[in-house]
Amino acid sequence: MENVGCQAVGADNKNVVRVFEKEIAGRPFKVEIGKMANLANGSALIHYGETVVLVTAVASRKPKPGIDFFPLTVEFEEKLYSVGKIPGGFIKREGRPSERATLTARLIDRPIRPLFPDGMKNEVQVVATVMSVDQDCTPDTVAMNGASIALGISDIPFEGPVAAVTVGYTNGTYIINPTIEQKEMSSLNLVVAGTKEAVVMVEAGADILPEDVVLGGIMRGHEVIQDICAFIEEIQSELGKEKFEIQLPEVDHDFVSEIEAFLSDRMNASVRIHDKHDRNAALDDLKDDLLTHFAESHPDQEDFLKDQFKANEKKIVRKMIINEGLRPDGRGVKDIRPVSCEVALLPRTHGSGLFTRGLTQALTITTLGALGESQRIDGLDLEDTKRYMHHYNFPPFSVGEVGMSRVNRRAIGHGALGERALLPVIPSEEDFPYTIRLVSEVVTCNGSSSQASICGSTLSLLDAGVPIKDSVAGIAMGLIQEEGKISILSDIQGMEDALGDMDFKVAGTKNGITALQMDIKVDGLSRELLENALEQARIGRLFILGKMSEVISEPRPEMSPYAPRVFQLKINPDKIRDVIGPGGKVITRITSQYDVKIDIDDDGTVLITANDGIGGEGAKREIEGIVTDPEVGQVFTGKVSRILKFGAFVDLGHGKEGLCHISQIDTKRIAKVEDVLNIGDEVVVKIIEIDDQGRINLSRKVLLEDQNKNA
């Protein structure tokens, strides 16, 4: 990946465009600075292959008052013109972000957020606008690298650069930024972000791969990241603006010492209370006492006192874990909270599973539907439908709070993580022709709810009789890195997530990893630390899988009586028009008559989804009758539709009609047809001939003769 060089373009010095070029994974990577959005604090037009993304970074000069967090927002704007599409719907313009756009915005946010200065309260907005998409150069990592460049050359305080790549794995070989064709063959879809020094973020889906293979992909990705970071540093050294100073409140160190002295003993005792409710109550009382104690002497310092309370809580908890190997709820660093599992809780659903780990509970419900109920996707990807969906809900009552129940970015992200974790074990459409929707309701939460939802989903799928390939469980790992010491924590709870240095989620089967997500708050993780965390997660995952298998280990042999039934048949594609009928009349009649849904693929695959077996079998027989060509020797029961002097035409059903000649109506000679048959009469006939024009000749006579012989 050699740096090709840079050049200046422009009519005058007021609008100079600087171009920097490089090669990444055999494809050109070009950065244009100064071409667009020059009123932003920093902007870059990024080209990778034929993918083009404009990334801008804007910040306010003054901190936002009255907040206790860093107000960073990241937007990933999908423009459908980038893939030559006109948006669907009535309005015909892009609406709210798609799920993919939301996930990509989170992907950009996670590695850059830790690289802003501590205590920064200035609003920062990063916007990545996708203008052209080459499917072999997906825009997510392009936008991530663009965000690092836009922030790096801006005057916004940012401790980058950070860079990102995608890693695939095929036949023992790691592939950097794989093409669409390579992704289809790959058993790993890994996004790695990092600085020159270390990995800072990982997002992965894997087809049940061993830990060492996934770790190797992370480290291979970081090798390329180091080179990209060096390239970004070159751009920053030439074009980077001087960073503006952020306004941090002056610290009265004597006051800080007073606060620490007031909190020390009671804080140390409070964080050691094992029960979460009692611990939170003790901490709330201590915080109230702190505010009351200093109300007169420091009347305008309530926010500062609250910040110091959090800082002291964090310091004491971390020291307790590092020095004593003891966690707030009394566990050791490798201990997992008590696990319990239940299935078949909801009698009318198609499948349900409740997974409980400590105070965290996830109830997952499985719903099965026709393939025609697959989700439609209106986005930048080639994929336009999805038959397996996993949705995650996090109502406020799950943490004992009052609030609005809504689907936010976090809920979308956790749902996608669960979906990715279970995808490798979901049966194929050919083996299980259903649309599958999982909904995980987090009913109680004290950390690791996304991983609990994965466990609950496995239980629910097995309860629904879905033939998944293996059970999947997930576990969240944490990290405390303090005073040169390191502790890796298994099955972190809420307090440890908030006060720790890492949230490392690993999901998989007994044989390997299916999904992985890592975010860290420190400078980065070494290979050795990652290896230890993955091994500790593997041991924890096997323990949880064992607990789950004690309740249910195989798919139920029978699906719920309330689940739909799917009947499948293959017809000649040339017969599809006959099943549909003119204006759709035939298929509409069948679906209405038998109360079924019918999906027909272009290859002639017909899927009939029915509420019961009777309706499904009836619709199947009807379609088989339509597409089956008549053969000599077949016997039909039909109705006389027309009578002419030379014979009667009999309606055989499904649009087929045959002639029963007057000589074939009875065993004895008759003068006219009406002596035996009238229009509307039901008659049993046998096909005795199909001529070269496809005309069907019938006989009632031969059947009567057979009866007389057997009498």
Side-chain angles (χ1 to χ4, degrees), residues 502-571:
M502 176 180 77
D503 183 10
F504 193 6
K505 303 180 178 79
V506 188
T509 69
K510 61 181 179 294
N511 296 317
I513 293 172
T514 57
L516 187 150
Q517 185 180 91
M518 183 196 75
D519 297 295
I520 66 168
K521 304 170 190 175
V522 290
D523 292 338
L525 298 181
S526 66
R527 180 190 179 99
E528 182 183 6
L529 205 157
L530 280 168
E531 192 170 19
N532 291 339
L534 283 169
E535 176 58 19
Q536 196 166 315
R538 186 187 70 84
I539 294 169
R541 184 173 78 245
L542 293 177
F543 170 80
I544 295 164
L545 284 167
K547 291 292 185 182
M548 292 164 59
S549 68
E550 292 174 6
V551 176
I552 187 168
S553 59
E554 299 288 338
R556 293 196 188 280
E558 296 290 334
M559 294 192 301
S560 163
Y562 304 108
R565 298 299 189 267
V566 173
F567 299 81
Q568 186 171 342
L569 65 153
K570 195 85 170 180
I571 66 173

Side-chain angles (χ1 to χ4, degrees), residues 19 44 94 161 173 271 330 421 428 511 525 527 608:
V19 180
E94 290 83 0
T173 302
V271 298
S428 68
N511 296 317
L525 298 181
R527 180 190 179 99
I608 304 164

Side-chain angles (χ1 to χ4, degrees), residues 29 46-48 51-53 55 137-147:
F29 182 77
I46 314 296
H47 304 251
Y48 187 46
T51 292
V52 182
V53 183
V55 187
C137 302
T138 51
D140 47 6
T141 52
V142 177
M144 293 171 76
N145 292 322

Side-chain angles (χ1 to χ4, degrees), residues 16-304:
V16 174
V17 178
R18 299 295 304 276
V19 180
F20 299 81
E21 295 182 281
K22 176 178 198 58
E23 190 176 274
I24 302 176
R27 278 157 278 174
F29 182 77
K30 183 171 74 173
V31 179
E32 293 184 272
I33 309 294
K35 185 162 188 171
M36 297 183 187
N38 291 327
L39 291 181
N41 294 62
S43 65
L45 189 66
I46 314 296
H47 304 251
Y48 187 46
E50 294 184 344
T51 292
V52 182
V53 183
L54 173 65
V55 187
T56 60
V58 178
S60 61
R61 285 284 183 163
K62 294 182 179 180
K64 188 173 183 178
I67 60 171
D68 60 355
F69 60 92
F70 171 42
L72 169 67
T73 57
V74 177
E75 306 293 340
F76 184 78
E77 300 281 353
E78 291 181 321
K79 303 298 182 181
L80 289 184
Y81 56 68
S82 67
V83 288
K85 290 182 182 179
I86 294 174
F90 179 76
I91 300 175
K92 295 296 179 186
R93 68 176 298 161
E94 290 83 0
R96 67 179 185 179
S98 69
E99 185 174 292
R100 174 65 185 271
T102 299
L103 295 173
T104 305
R106 281 171 53 87
L107 206 62
I108 299 168
D109 183 301
R110 286 159 44 202
I112 65 174
R113 184 176 288 272
L115 300 177
F116 290 91
D118 289 338
M120 184 169 174
K121 300 293 192 297
N122 304 61
E123 287 187 284
V124 177
Q125 185 179 44
V126 174
V127 179
T129 306
V130 182
M131 296 181 163
S132 175
V133 174
D134 173 353
Q135 296 293 349
D136 284 334
C137 302
T138 51
D140 47 6
T141 52
V142 177
M144 293 171 76
N145 292 322
S148 179
I149 294 169
L151 287 165
I153 65 173
S154 75
D155 58 351
I156 304 169
F158 179 69
E159 299 166 6
V162 63
V165 294
T166 301
V167 184
Y169 183 74
T170 305
N171 298 325
T173 302
Y174 295 108
I175 305 167
I176 300 299
N177 294 345
T179 64
I180 288 292
E181 184 178 354
Q182 289 169 331
K183 283 182 178 178
E184 289 176 355
M185 300 171 61
S186 176
S187 56
L188 178 67
N189 182 15
L190 170 68
V191 178
V192 187
T195 63
K196 285 180 72 174
E197 290 73 30
V199 173
V200 298
M201 196 258 335
V202 175
E203 181 92 22
D207 191 10
I208 315 178
L209 290 178
E211 278 73 8
D212 62 329
V213 172
V214 176
L215 179 60
I218 295 171
M219 303 320 296
R220 175 68 186 106
H222 188 243
E223 291 175 13
V224 182
I225 284 168
Q226 290 173 314
D227 194 41
I228 299 173
C229 285
F231 174 62
I232 296 174
E233 284 178 339
E234 291 178 25
I235 300 173
Q236 290 178 194
S237 65
E238 291 197 39
L239 301 180
K241 302 173 186 175
E242 183 179 351
K243 304 297 184 182
F244 65 75
E245 291 186 10
I246 59 173
Q247 300 175 23
L248 296 176
E250 292 186 13
V251 178
D252 183 340
H253 294 288
D254 291 336
F255 184 32
V256 171
S257 298
E258 287 184 61
I259 296 170
E260 288 181 347
F262 179 86
L263 291 174
S264 180
D265 292 341
R266 286 182 61 187
M267 178 69 79
N268 189 45
S270 297
V271 298
R272 293 172 184 271
I273 298 172
H274 294 175
D275 182 81
K276 179 186 177 181
H277 297 290
D278 294 341
R279 182 170 63 246
N280 287 347
L283 289 170
D284 287 342
D285 290 342
L286 179 56
K287 185 191 293 183
D288 291 341
D289 291 347
L290 175 70
L291 297 178
T292 302
H293 181 77
F294 290 103
E296 275 192 39
S297 59
H298 298 79
D300 300 323
Q301 296 293 316
E302 183 174 327
D303 289 342
F304 182 74

